[in-house]
Amino acid sequence: MKATIERATLLKGLSHVQSVVERRNTIPILSNVLIDATADGQLKLMATDLDLQINESVAAAVDTPGATTVSAHTLFDIARKLPEGSQVSLAAAEGKMTIMAGRARFQLGTLPRDDFPVIAEGELPVSFELPAETLKQIIDKTRFAISTEETRYYLNGIFWHVADDGAQPVLKAAATDGHRLARVTLPRPDGAEGMPDIIIPRKCVAELRKLLDEIDGSVGVSLSSSKIRFDLGQALLTSKLIDGTFPDYSRVIPTGNDKILKIDPRSFEEGVDRVSTIATEKTRAVKMALDRDKITLSVTSPENGTAAEEVPGDYAASGFEIGFNSRYLLDILGQMEGDTIEVHLADASAPTLIRENDKSPALYVLMPMRV
């Protein structure tokens, strides 16, 4: 194969595919990117870790069509360091790839394209479209609650399912690590009816989120009970789904929390952030003392001392104290928009519900800590 491509175009394409490639691989070819130069002036790039696969097409001047595989990270590092605006020539023959740009010349070892594994997609019977902005919102408002505990592997992703909420069918996305829960509800997209319950793995979510920053329109979503594919125009992301059953999270969403605090999320967030400056790994707890229209945030650390701050809020129920993990609370507050949020409390040991209002698509549940 022989092709010439602009450095910026090559770099952008490689930046998308190389991040899927694991740094350490027991199977050498998984460290490689498959480069396929086609007669219609496309350079097709593909990388996989056997669970996640990304395909990207970029425009190139193809002299000789052909395909080979070469180290993804090495090629990406070379492209990054080549002079801006340069034309890059790629030529592969007899187990070697020659890369030339300006006065620079590199030669890398290749592995045959026939050995390169491809995720067989099979039938993806459910397909629908989601605006890129909506997908970003789903990811940003839930991703922080994904569990990193490998033993409960079924929590290592975002759970998507469709439901009939009252009159309107909806698509719900939820993530939890057992300490907090994040859920986003949106109208069910056309074509998503009959969709199986799926859990999208954390790595797929991270790669998808990176790609979404460059997309304006809609993203095509196709899925079966075991795989999902996102069509982002030039890029195609295919992932296996987590094979497990997500717990019935609706049971932990409190419905009878009658003590309601209305508060400005920014001043609340800044107050929690300030007092938790002295918190340590062991004592992440921030204590909230609720009185009529006055909330006192405090942290006590045996090593560092104490911190307290009063934050104004609208609260009319009986006063009490409750503790939260400050980092978890900040993660939730960081996703809040608007001037006021509602914090629905019951007592010091019951789950707390946090949302902007009863119309907002996102809802959060946080388990308290003993303080």
Side-chain angles (χ1 to χ4, degrees):
M1 68 158 265
K2 189 161 189 261
T4 308
I5 183 169
E6 203 179 338
R7 171 199 174 257
T9 310
L10 178 64
L11 187 62
K12 188 176 169 188
L14 285 172
S15 72
H16 294 162
V17 296
Q18 61 92 32
S19 59
V20 170
V21 178
E22 295 290 342
R23 285 274 171 195
R24 287 200 276 294
N25 266 311
T26 46
I27 308 167
I29 200 153
L30 290 182
S31 302
N32 284 9
V33 55
L34 172 65
I35 301 175
D36 186 358
T38 60
D40 58 356
Q42 294 280 315
L43 211 57
K44 293 183 174 167
L45 308 171
M46 184 171 117
T48 183
D49 65 0
L50 296 181
D51 290 321
L52 185 64
Q53 171 183 305
I54 183 159
N55 299 60
E56 174 115 5
S57 295
V58 290
V62 178
D63 299 327
T64 315
T68 188
T69 82
V70 66
S71 166
H73 293 307
T74 310
L75 185 59
F76 175 64
D77 286 342
I78 289 171
R80 231 170 22 144
K81 293 173 183 177
L82 289 174
E84 264 183 52
S86 56
Q87 294 289 324
V88 185
S89 152
L90 306 172
E94 295 164 13
K96 292 267 185 290
M97 176 183 259
T98 308
I99 301 140
M100 290 193 290
R103 296 179 186 168
R105 186 171 190 270
F106 299 86
Q107 204 168 47
L108 304 179
T110 62
L111 289 170
R113 66 94 38 101
D114 295 343
D115 298 350
F116 197 83
V118 176
I119 296 181
E121 285 170 26
E123 272 294 295
L124 298 174
V126 178
S127 63
F128 52 89
E129 285 199 351
L130 280 174
E133 281 305 316
T134 305
L135 256 180
K136 277 189 213 170
Q137 183 187 16
I138 291 174
I139 294 173
D140 292 344
K141 291 191 181 305
T142 56
R143 153 163 86 164
F144 64 85
I146 295 175
S147 173
T148 52
E149 206 183 306
E150 297 302 330
T151 48
R152 297 164 78 191
Y153 64 92
Y154 49 83
L155 297 181
N156 295 165
I158 299 179
F159 177 56
W160 282 22
H161 65 117
V162 289
D164 287 325
D165 244 16
Q168 190 189 31
V170 291
L171 171 66
K172 294 184 180 185
T176 181
D177 59 7
H179 305 289
R180 60 229 169 123
L181 165 79
R183 188 193 75 190
V184 174
T185 305
L186 50 131
R188 186 184 71 195
D190 294 339
E193 51 279 0
M195 175 184 127
D197 294 357
I198 60 167
I199 308 169
I200 303 170
R202 188 196 309 111
K203 185 173 175 184
C204 173
V205 169
E207 293 303 326
L208 175 62
R209 183 63 186 84
K210 279 189 248 175
L211 293 166
L212 284 172
D213 278 335
E214 298 170 18
I215 305 255
D216 289 333
S218 282
V219 175
V221 183
S222 314
L223 59 96
S224 66
S225 56
S226 60
K227 296 201 178 62
I228 190 162
R229 189 180 66 215
F230 296 95
D231 184 348
L232 302 113
Q234 282 185 316
L236 208 57
L237 188 67
T238 309
S239 175
K240 291 181 182 171
L241 296 167
I242 292 175
D243 182 13
T245 305
F246 203 80
D248 177 11
Y249 66 85
S250 60
R251 293 206 314 254
V252 301
I253 299 175
T255 51
N257 286 12
D258 53 354
K259 298 183 168 96
I260 297 178
L261 160 67
K262 292 189 175 172
I263 192 164
D264 168 27
R266 293 294 77 83
S267 60
F268 190 17
E269 183 181 21
E270 286 161 11
V272 172
D273 194 27
R274 274 193 286 269
V275 295
S276 60
T277 309
I278 67 159
T280 58
E281 281 299 319
K282 286 200 203 81
T283 56
R284 281 195 179 278
V286 56
K287 185 160 78 176
M288 269 172 70
L290 292 115
D291 287 309
R292 195 167 285 272
D293 295 341
K294 186 180 82 174
I295 292 85
T296 308
L297 303 168
S298 61
V299 171
T300 305
S301 155
E303 296 98 272
N304 296 341
T306 61
E309 178 166 342
E310 270 184 28
V311 186
D314 176 2
Y315 182 75
S318 53
F320 75 107
E321 292 185 346
I322 188 167
F324 293 111
N325 179 315
S326 57
R327 198 183 76 227
Y328 294 170
L329 190 53
L330 288 170
D331 280 343
I332 291 172
L333 293 173
Q335 292 307 324
M336 294 293 183
E337 295 145 23
D339 301 331
T340 53
I341 58 166
E342 298 173 1
V343 183
H344 295 239
L345 303 131
D347 57 55
S349 59
T352 295
L353 175 76
I354 304 172
R355 65 185 185 192
E356 281 161 36
N357 54 52
D358 58 0
K359 302 279 187 293
S360 65
L363 161 156
Y364 302 96
V365 179
L366 184 56
M367 294 301 288
M369 287 176 81
R370 284 203 190 94
V371 284

